[in-house]
Amino acid sequence: MPRLFDDGARPVQHAMPTAPSGQGTSGHGPSGPGAFDFGRPPFDRLTADQRAMLAGALDIALYPRDAVVLCREEPVDSLFVVLRGSVQERRGGEVAAVHGPGDRFGLQALYGRAGGKAGGDADAEGTAARRFVAADECVCHLIPRAALEALAADNPEFGAAILGGFAQRMRDLAVERSHREMAALTMARIRQAHLHPPLFVDAAASLREAAEAMKRNRASSVLVRGGDGRTGILTGTDLRDLVVLDGRPVSDPVGPLARYGLLTLERDDLLFNALVLMTRHAVRRVVVTENGAIVGLLGQSDLLAVLSNHSQVIGVQVEHATDPADLGRASRSIVELIRTLHATGVKVAFIADLVTELNRRIFRKLFELLAPPELLANSCLIVMGSEGRGEQLLKTDQDNGLILRDGFTCADLPAIAAEFTRHLVAFGYPPCPGNIMLSNPDWTRPLAGYKDAIFGWIHRPDEAAQMNLAIFYDAAPVAGDPALLADAKAYLLGRLQDNQMFFSQFARPTLSFDTPSGLFAALFERRRAEPVDIKKAGIFPIVHGVRALALEKHRTETNTVERIQVLAELGALDRKMAADLIEAFAILSTIRLKARVDLPDKEAPDEEGAELAIDNLVHPDRLGKLDRDQFNDCLALVKSFKELIAHHFRLNH
């Protein structure tokens, strides 16, 4: 719908049909200020009648300098073509491209979101989301989706030119992301894989004793200490062949029968090298050493388990799942994917994008397996909190809900909701302490019920109401009809008024937890510094402070970094502070993830593939010097940001 300026940052958009091209040979339309240039490819392929149809469907939008023309959180129904001025395409705060007169953009927003199932999903590149910002005052033609699709159907040559190139670009981006991720996985080290403890027997031990040792230790091989200082190996397959096929007495010693000249690799060698070695020598295991000593055996299945933790492999597992057990196996693979990507230096923002996408696929598929078609068509499954913001790295507490279409009922809904929650718990997503889950009827109700709740959260705010409002503001659609969530969020933003007291109360939790300063001086005074809750001290103040500023501006973005970027563009946040906050948020998130992935052996999960513990404590004495310095700097910045929030919302008055 046409919009007028409301805060100096949004466009004036009004219908202004432009005349079709004349019949001259140049192919250009009239030279008026709003004329569309039909001489530019691929629009020069349109017939006169098609040009007339397009001209009648066009809108014109005017944007002031620094206005956000397009971002991923906003629904879009048009292709943008620059008429005057220029538009910057920004990714993660950096300018990736500049679009000038005649250039077009917005096809990805129209068609690049998996059919619009999840408006908050990561963009097609799996990296920082894109946003288009007016570099100066500019004017854009808007081609409605319906007109674009009608022209493409009526003129296949035009359709192939304007849509075919986009489809190929999306395929190229998917391949590029896959290659980037696979490159990281092939750089994984042997120490990231599960190693079977070495099981030794003396050369004088009998075949029976070797078999008993394997059974007792659930091993598939033994290492044989030879009398000459050599070490050999005897596998279960060797035992079978020697005893069953060759008829060897089980009392024969293993020393002469073992195979010597072991294939060995160092623990810090590449997994890819282990794969090459196994393939070259047609073996299923290699011996792993560290500083010359044998520390374990790497099996082929364990190696492939790490290399197969590729997001596309997990995605295929999800899509082909026929029951919740299949989804559980895919969910457990995500943990190893996180470990591998982190260990190979992949940035935390990329990991979060990937994990968000995979988690949402799992949630969507689980709901589709449990819900009948009529429930899917008349509801919207939503995720909230860090999952809704696209910032979840570890499997934190469940925060989900279901919005039902008004008037729709489902007799089996309580049982379906309970099953959904139960399966997620089995997948490793702990129950929410605040009971914000599908199994709670307060979070599985009609749209009108959500609107009533939103009204109460805004107009009768207490601590619980503010928490509910905050997490719902972060909500993103996962399955079903996303229009139901869009309707609820529009109601939320529409009910907000310029009420300083409300926004002050909403922002106050930013100051709830202490952020220590001079943290690491304790390392020089005591042998062991007290652990710090990195979420309370650093991450939450950034997330909620930014959330409060975004809510005050009635913004629709959910991701914290995107909120920071748009607040800077609107002038609501100093650009230097915004850049520093983005960097600090990435550093704190990385340190938090590293603290879980790099647990000391005594604290690490006992079982391979076990979930990463949800513990936000960071031990200063376990951080390297660089991490300590960065952590200290980040906490100092968070203190400054909290002071900014306190001043802005008058929390000290």
Side-chain angles (χ1 to χ4, degrees):
M1 293 296 291
R3 295 177 293 186
L4 300 178
F5 279 117
D6 55 2
D7 58 4
R10 305 307 302 157
V12 172
Q13 180 176 318
H14 57 87
M16 186 187 292
T18 54
S21 170
Q23 301 301 314
T25 57
S26 69
H28 290 270
S31 58
F36 187 84
D37 185 359
F38 285 100
R40 283 184 176 268
F43 299 101
D44 58 348
R45 306 183 187 191
L46 298 176
T47 66
D49 289 344
Q50 290 165 351
R51 295 179 185 184
M53 187 276 280
L54 175 56
L58 287 173
D59 278 351
I60 282 185
L62 313 176
Y63 298 90
R65 180 186 177 91
D66 292 331
V68 178
V69 179
L70 175 65
C71 66
R72 78 177 188 183
E73 291 297 328
E74 293 187 352
V76 61
D77 292 313
S78 301
L79 174 68
F80 294 75
V81 182
V82 180
L83 175 61
R84 291 196 304 272
S86 61
V87 174
Q88 291 180 346
E89 180 179 343
R90 300 180 184 176
R91 300 180 190 174
E94 298 180 358
V95 177
V98 177
H99 303 278
D103 293 338
R104 58 187 187 273
F105 60 92
L107 271 175
Q108 182 172 330
L110 276 172
Y111 299 110
R113 294 186 185 171
K117 285 185 178 181
D121 282 354
D123 85 1
E125 295 180 74
T127 54
R130 299 191 304 167
R131 129 182 304 106
F132 297 84
V133 178
D136 44 38
E137 186 172 272
C138 69
V139 181
C140 292
H141 278 116
L142 276 63
I143 304 177
R145 181 204 301 262
L148 191 68
E149 293 177 347
L151 288 171
D154 193 43
N155 188 327
E157 184 181 3
F158 170 78
I162 201 163
L163 298 179
F166 168 74
Q168 183 59 48
R169 180 170 176 267
M170 290 298 99
R171 288 192 292 269
D172 291 344
L173 288 172
V175 170
E176 178 185 339
R177 187 176 101 170
S178 176
H179 287 170
R180 177 182 176 186
E181 184 187 336
M182 183 55 78
L185 287 169
T186 54
M187 291 299 291
R189 305 285 170 175
I190 289 174
R191 65 170 57 252
Q192 296 164 229
H194 172 67
L195 296 183
H196 298 273
L199 176 61
F200 291 95
V201 298
D202 292 330
S206 68
L207 291 174
R208 179 187 295 278
E209 289 171 332
E212 289 173 344
M214 287 188 211
K215 180 179 180 181
R216 187 167 56 251
N217 292 277
R218 296 183 179 179
S220 59
S221 64
V222 292
L223 296 175
V224 180
R225 292 191 180 99
D228 54 2
R230 295 186 304 161
T231 301
I233 189 170
L234 191 74
T235 68
T237 302
D238 294 333
L239 275 172
R240 179 199 64 194
D241 292 346
L242 289 167
V243 176
V244 177
L245 298 182
D246 297 345
R248 289 270 186 178
V250 294
S251 58
D252 280 4
V254 296
L257 304 174
R259 288 176 287 120
Y260 296 91
L262 298 177
L263 298 175
T264 64
L265 287 170
E266 276 288 310
R267 196 168 193 169
D268 282 322
D269 212 329
L270 296 175
L271 273 173
F272 186 75
N273 290 345
L275 179 61
V276 171
L277 195 63
M278 290 181 189
T279 304
R280 180 181 300 155
H281 294 276
V283 297
R284 296 184 179 180
R285 59 185 62 78
V286 295
V287 176
V288 180
T289 61
E290 190 167 30
N291 299 323
I294 295 176
V295 294
L297 283 84
L298 174 67
Q300 188 180 60
S301 60
D302 303 303
L303 181 151
L304 294 176
V306 176
L307 294 183
S308 67
N309 282 319
H310 185 285
S311 67
Q312 289 189 352
V313 175
I314 299 173
V316 170
Q317 291 175 339
V318 172
E319 294 306 315
H320 289 105
T322 57
D323 59 48
D326 293 336
L327 293 177
R329 285 186 286 272
S331 178
R332 285 187 288 275
S333 297
I334 295 176
V335 177
E336 289 307 311
L337 177 64
I338 294 172
R339 285 194 176 102
T340 301
L341 293 177
H342 170 70
T344 48
V346 177
K347 290 184 178 180
V348 72
F350 176 78
I351 298 175
D353 245 2
L354 213 52
V355 171
T356 294
E357 180 180 338
L358 292 173
N359 280 342
R360 291 185 185 180
R361 286 189 186 186
I362 289 172
F363 299 159
R364 180 184 307 132
K365 187 67 174 183
L366 176 60
F367 191 63
E368 290 172 351
L369 288 174
L370 298 176
E374 59 272 17
L375 177 57
L376 279 170
N378 289 281
S379 67
C380 179
L381 176 67
I382 60 175
V383 290
M384 296 169 280
S386 60
E387 187 67 55
R389 296 191 304 273
E391 295 162 5
Q392 188 177 88
L393 292 167
L394 311 179
K395 291 183 178 178
T396 52
D397 302 337
Q398 293 184 45
D399 283 318
N400 48 57
L402 191 68
I403 305 175
L404 302 171
R405 199 178 309 280
D406 289 336
F408 173 77
T409 59
C410 176
D412 296 331
L413 183 57
I416 294 170
E419 279 291 282
F420 183 85
T421 298
R422 184 181 68 80
H423 283 301
L424 286 188
V425 171
F427 294 171
Y429 301 91
C432 174
N435 204 19
I436 302 171
M437 301 180 291
L438 252 66
S439 53
N440 180 355
D442 287 344
W443 291 96
T444 301
R445 52 184 167 183
L447 176 60
Y450 271 93
K451 290 181 177 179
D452 289 343
I454 291 168
F455 183 91
W457 297 338
I458 294 174
H459 297 287
R460 294 184 294 275
D462 55 22
E463 186 175 344
Q466 289 175 0
M467 180 192 73
N468 291 340
L469 180 62
I471 66 166
F472 186 79
Y473 181 44
D474 294 343
V478 171
D481 185 357
L484 293 169
L485 176 60
D487 194 340
K489 281 201 171 184
Y491 177 82
L492 186 160
L493 296 177
R495 294 300 309 180
L496 294 176
Q497 300 173 358
D498 188 15
N499 185 324
Q500 180 65 41
M501 182 175 295
F502 167 78
F503 287 111
S504 294
Q505 290 300 317
F506 184 82
R508 189 170 296 281
T510 306
L511 312 183
S512 295
F513 306 110
D514 181 48
T515 300
S517 59
L519 177 64
F520 298 108
L523 286 174
F524 299 97
E525 300 171 2
R526 293 178 291 172
R527 291 185 60 190
R528 186 177 183 86
E530 293 296 324
V532 177
D533 188 317
I534 191 172
K535 182 177 180 181
K536 292 180 179 179
I539 295 175
F540 175 77
I542 294 177
V543 168
H544 193 69
V546 168
R547 179 163 49 201
L549 292 171
L551 186 65
E552 184 184 39
K553 290 295 183 182
H554 295 202
R555 297 303 307 178
T556 58
E557 293 81 10
T558 57
N559 180 266
T560 298
V561 170
E562 290 180 32
R563 285 171 172 169
I564 293 172
Q565 290 169 342
V566 77
L567 288 169
E569 289 162 1
L570 293 174
L573 201 56
D574 176 78
R575 288 188 180 273
K576 184 179 185 308
M577 171 62 80
D580 289 345
L581 281 174
I582 291 172
E583 183 177 7
F585 186 68
I587 291 172
L588 291 171
S589 299
T590 302
I591 292 174
R592 182 190 184 202
L593 176 61
K594 187 174 182 179
R596 293 300 90 217
V597 172
D598 297 342
L599 284 171
D601 290 342
K602 65 181 180 180
E603 296 182 29
D606 293 331
E607 298 180 11
E608 185 66 19
E611 306 302 337
L612 297 175
I614 303 171
D615 180 354
N616 294 304
L617 295 182
V618 170
H619 296 263
D621 56 332
R622 297 178 185 172
L623 296 178
K625 184 180 185 306
L626 177 60
D627 284 346
R628 288 202 306 268
D629 292 345
Q630 288 185 326
F631 194 18
N632 219 10
D633 291 343
C634 288
L635 293 183
L637 177 70
V638 171
K639 286 183 73 73
S640 297
F641 180 60
K642 289 166 73 171
E643 291 170 1
L644 182 154
I645 293 294
H647 174 74
H648 179 83
F649 290 105
R650 303 177 185 176
L651 300 180
N652 295 328
H653 294 180

